[in-house]
Amino acid sequence: MKKKQKKKFKPFLELKNKTNNSLEISQSNLEKAALNCIRNLDYLGAEKIYTELVSKNSKNSIVYANLAGLLQKRKIFDGVEELLKKAISMNPNYADAYSNLGVFYHREKNIDQAINCYKKALLLKNNYPEANFNLGNAYCEIGEEDKALFHLEKAVEIKDDYLEAHLNLGEFFARKRNLSKAIYHVEKIMNANNRTTELLLGAGRVFVKLELFYDAIKLFENVLKFENNRKAMMDLITIRKQICDWDNYSIDLETIKKFSNDSEVDDTNSYMYFEDNPETHFKLISNYAKKTFHDIESDFKTQKRKISGRKIRIGYVSADFREHPVTKLIYRIIELHDKERFEVFAYSIFDEIEDQYTSSIKNSVDKFLNLSNKNEYDIASTIREDKLDIAIDLMGYSKNSKPKIFAYRVAPIHISYLGYPATTGAYFMDYIVADKLLIPEIDKKYYSEKVLYLNQSPLCCDDRFLNLNNYNLRKKYGFSEDGFIFACFNNNLKICPSVFKIWMEILQEVKNSYLWLYGSNEASKDNLLKEAINMNISVDRIKFAEYLETKKHIERHSQVDLFIDTFNFSAGATAIFAILSGTPIVTLYGNSYYSRMSSSLLASLDLKELITENQNEYKSKCIELAMNKSKFSTLKEKLLNNLKSGNYLNSKYFVRELETKLMSILK
């Protein structure tokens, strides 16, 4: 496997021919000239001089360490380890070289070696803020939070204006929900004269983690007053969508579309919440893939291995093998794989607290590896050792994903499944799992992958969660017993002005009805209630649900009469949980994978009558079912009978079909 880089440094392999004049220049004068270049921010000039000194076998350890630092600054890493080790061999008490070597190992995700280097640096120089900062970050990555906090606080104790350390402490305390301490460190950044735009954006993201959204908005708007910063604009747009602040919705949409059409695109997800246009999304995602993976080469031989007489090796790769919507859907599938025919592997690429879902997956696979402390290249190398036939990516570009693992290639066949409801636009992803409703033949042009078609919806589930005991618990959740309850427990990010307007119009038509939403945050609740008031809907008719564990969440779903879906980005796991409680769903069939998920599920349940083609039909269908008790009862009975029959949402049936399809692409 090769990591291609445009620029390489090979000081010990290539010696330049020097002119007589350059030979006459003393090494000490060259060293002074290099330092002068650094003072004047001429880093390329300094690098050139240091390269010449190294080629002359300089006896000064600082030369080697400084050249290593300059190369790292330019993101050139070939030769860095060699240079720093040379510096240390010449000066075993060189604390800076140990610290920088730790940074090198840290970047390579060799955390143990990084920690050892940072510790050595601190033994040699106790009051060393940078080494404390780096060691604190390393401990954070491996979950040793007490040690992390000690060293990060030590860094700012030694150097009060160490703004990067203040930012990391702000993030640390935000995760711990310690508002006062998080704000203390953020204010250190905001009040500093030497703050950078990147640090300010980091401070804004701490505000977001603390759900101080309006403080974050103010900060990002202030940044944008002084510079046209793309990251600040994207953060601002995302926050406004997150809190359902729609005052600038049309402007934000145009900005997102503009960003999606250029080669600098760095956000793969925001667009899906704004617009349902597969052509634009495909262009966006293709641009991102070209930008991100263009310099990665793989020497993996993609020829399929002979499978006769042995088990087929399948590997699942995820950062979410814990309580997470994707894991709640997939873990039963992993459990039910035919172990006589398949050898199943699971690779965790993000270290979180383990829970019952983690344990379930560990107990269900032949091999479980936690690779969270490795970089993408080393993760790919490790996975390759298991000689998989098929590698299944459960992440795509979702949070904590590491798609470069697949760019380096880990198996003859790569499949994108479940975690990312769209194309990856990437040359290294071979298949995406779908049905004919999600990706009709005519829409294949919007997908870089080949389509692995199932005869049913690819939205799998654990059918043991099926709960059709429809006890009346409405008083428990604050509702009257006789009202009609509409609900949408999707993340508030998925709500757009057009769908909310229709929901309010439905409430106006259906008397004694309520809308039950998931409350993603307090700001979104306030904004949604303001929108309702503007449309003459009493706030008493809108309720907000909080997070509940899965079984109680499904119980809550069972109190709902009708689940009404969002438009641009439809329900996925949430739709499954609604159906498992026996709750019908009305959805609008969109134009993209991510806007068709509920439609796919309903078609698999033989409930196509709940799939609408336009917004008017969607609205009419919701009103009709709420006001026509006979029609609603007939529909509800059909759903319950289908679920009770065992022929729908059957985990075992699903796994058998999936395995058959996997076998077919290996032949």
Side-chain angles (χ1 to χ4, degrees), residues 207-263:
F207 281 138
V208 172
K209 287 177 183 176
L210 294 169
E211 296 195 357
L212 298 173
F213 298 108
Y214 292 104
D215 294 276
I217 287 172
K218 183 178 179 182
L219 191 154
F220 293 136
E221 286 177 340
N222 284 337
V223 168
L224 290 166
K225 284 179 183 176
F226 297 99
E227 62 177 286
N228 185 19
N229 187 286
R230 184 181 183 125
K231 287 184 178 178
M233 179 57 75
M234 283 305 305
D235 283 343
L236 179 60
I237 289 171
T238 302
I239 293 170
R240 289 202 286 237
K241 190 76 171 72
Q242 195 172 348
I243 64 172
C244 300
D245 178 352
W246 299 327
D247 290 345
N248 298 281
Y249 193 87
S250 58
I251 297 171
D252 289 346
L253 173 57
E254 290 308 309
T255 303
I256 289 271
K257 289 166 73 172
K258 177 185 174 184
F259 286 168
S260 73
N261 282 319
D262 64 43
S263 59

Side-chain angles (χ1 to χ4, degrees), residues 14-20 22-23 52 55:
E14 298 176 4
L15 299 181
K16 295 182 179 178
N17 293 323
K18 304 293 186 298
T19 65
N20 289 333
S22 74
L23 289 170
E52 183 172 348
S55 72

Side-chain angles (χ1 to χ4, degrees), residues 507-534:
L507 291 185
Q508 287 169 348
E509 290 287 331
V510 182
K511 307 306 178 187
N512 195 25
S513 64
Y514 302 88
L515 177 61
W516 202 1
L517 301 174
Y518 179 70
S520 296
N521 55 74
E522 292 302 316
S524 68
K525 292 182 194 177
D526 290 342
N527 284 324
L528 289 170
L529 290 176
K530 287 176 187 174
E531 292 289 334
I533 291 169
N534 289 340

Side-chain angles (χ1 to χ4, degrees), residues 167-215:
L167 176 58
N168 286 16
L169 282 164
E171 291 173 343
F172 180 93
F173 287 117
R175 286 196 303 273
K176 296 295 181 184
R177 312 304 298 168
N178 189 324
L179 183 66
S180 59
K181 287 191 175 182
I183 289 176
Y184 168 80
H185 291 288
V186 166
E187 287 181 343
K188 282 284 188 180
I189 296 168
M190 296 175 69
N191 296 330
N193 293 324
N194 60 332
R195 69 195 186 200
T196 64
T197 299
E198 282 300 313
L199 286 166
L200 282 173
L201 296 183
R205 289 168 194 144
V206 172
F207 281 138
V208 172
K209 287 177 183 176
L210 294 169
E211 296 195 357
L212 298 173
F213 298 108
Y214 292 104
D215 294 276

Side-chain angles (χ1 to χ4, degrees), residues 238-502:
T238 302
I239 293 170
R240 289 202 286 237
K241 190 76 171 72
Q242 195 172 348
I243 64 172
C244 300
D245 178 352
W246 299 327
D247 290 345
N248 298 281
Y249 193 87
S250 58
I251 297 171
D252 289 346
L253 173 57
E254 290 308 309
T255 303
I256 289 271
K257 289 166 73 172
K258 177 185 174 184
F259 286 168
S260 73
N261 282 319
D262 64 43
S263 59
E264 295 303 308
V265 61
D266 54 6
D267 185 315
T268 59
N269 299 326
S270 294
Y271 176 78
M272 294 189 284
Y273 294 103
F274 275 91
E275 189 174 57
D276 177 22
N277 185 317
E279 184 176 1
T280 303
H281 182 262
F282 184 51
K283 188 182 295 183
L284 175 156
I285 217 73
S286 298
N287 286 340
Y288 176 81
K290 286 174 188 173
K291 171 192 169 186
T292 307
F293 309 116
H294 73 279
D295 61 346
I296 294 179
E297 287 184 350
S298 173
D299 58 4
F300 185 82
K301 294 178 181 178
T302 57
Q303 64 192 62
K304 298 173 186 176
R305 304 181 180 99
K306 292 181 180 179
I307 60 174
S308 60
R310 68 170 178 85
K311 295 180 182 180
I312 295 167
R313 295 186 154 207
I314 302 174
Y316 290 90
V317 181
S318 178
D320 299 320
F321 288 134
R322 54 186 165 81
E323 186 172 0
H324 182 277
V326 172
T327 298
K328 289 176 183 179
L329 300 186
I330 196 67
Y331 84 103
R332 180 61 173 158
I333 306 310
I334 294 174
E335 282 181 347
L336 290 172
H337 270 305
D338 183 352
K339 302 306 190 294
E340 295 297 317
R341 294 192 299 158
F342 294 89
E343 199 171 351
V344 184
F345 299 75
Y347 305 98
S348 175
I349 58 172
F350 187 74
D351 201 10
E352 283 272 335
I353 297 171
E354 295 189 355
D355 56 25
Q356 76 262 27
Y357 291 98
T358 320
S359 299
S360 172
I361 289 169
K362 281 185 174 182
N363 293 332
S364 303
V365 298
D366 296 281
K367 184 177 182 180
F368 183 97
L369 281 180
N370 187 334
L371 304 176
S372 57
N373 289 333
K374 293 179 180 288
N375 62 32
E376 285 107 325
Y377 181 86
D378 289 337
I379 291 173
S381 299
T382 303
I383 295 175
R384 280 188 182 189
E385 293 172 5
D386 290 326
K387 293 182 168 51
L388 300 177
D389 297 297
I390 297 172
I392 299 176
D393 178 22
L394 297 173
M395 300 297 297
Y397 300 124
S398 55
K399 185 179 178 182
N400 300 318
S401 63
K402 296 179 181 178
K404 286 183 181 179
I405 295 168
F406 292 89
Y408 290 123
R409 199 97 208 168
V410 297
I413 296 174
H414 291 169
I415 298 176
S416 176
Y417 179 46
L418 203 61
Y420 191 70
T423 181
T424 61
Y427 61 88
F428 51 78
M429 196 56 65
D430 304 305
Y431 289 91
I432 184 171
V433 183
D435 62 17
K436 293 284 187 178
L437 211 68
L438 285 166
I439 307 178
E441 291 287 338
I442 195 172
D443 287 349
K444 282 183 174 181
K445 60 191 174 188
Y446 302 127
Y447 295 81
S448 58
E449 306 87 353
K450 289 176 279 189
V451 184
L452 182 62
Y453 281 117
L454 300 183
N455 296 320
Q456 59 187 306
S457 173
L459 291 179
C460 55
C461 73
D462 181 355
D463 55 12
R464 294 172 300 185
F465 278 126
L466 187 65
N467 179 6
L468 304 180
N469 299 318
N470 195 13
Y471 304 118
N472 192 328
L473 303 172
R474 291 188 170 194
K475 285 187 177 179
K476 173 181 175 180
Y477 294 104
F479 291 94
S480 63
E481 293 186 4
D482 59 344
F484 192 93
I485 301 177
F486 298 99
C488 182
F489 294 141
N490 290 348
N491 190 305
N492 295 165
L493 260 173
K494 293 186 177 184
I495 303 175
C496 62
S498 59
V499 77
F500 193 77
K501 179 175 180 290
I502 288 175

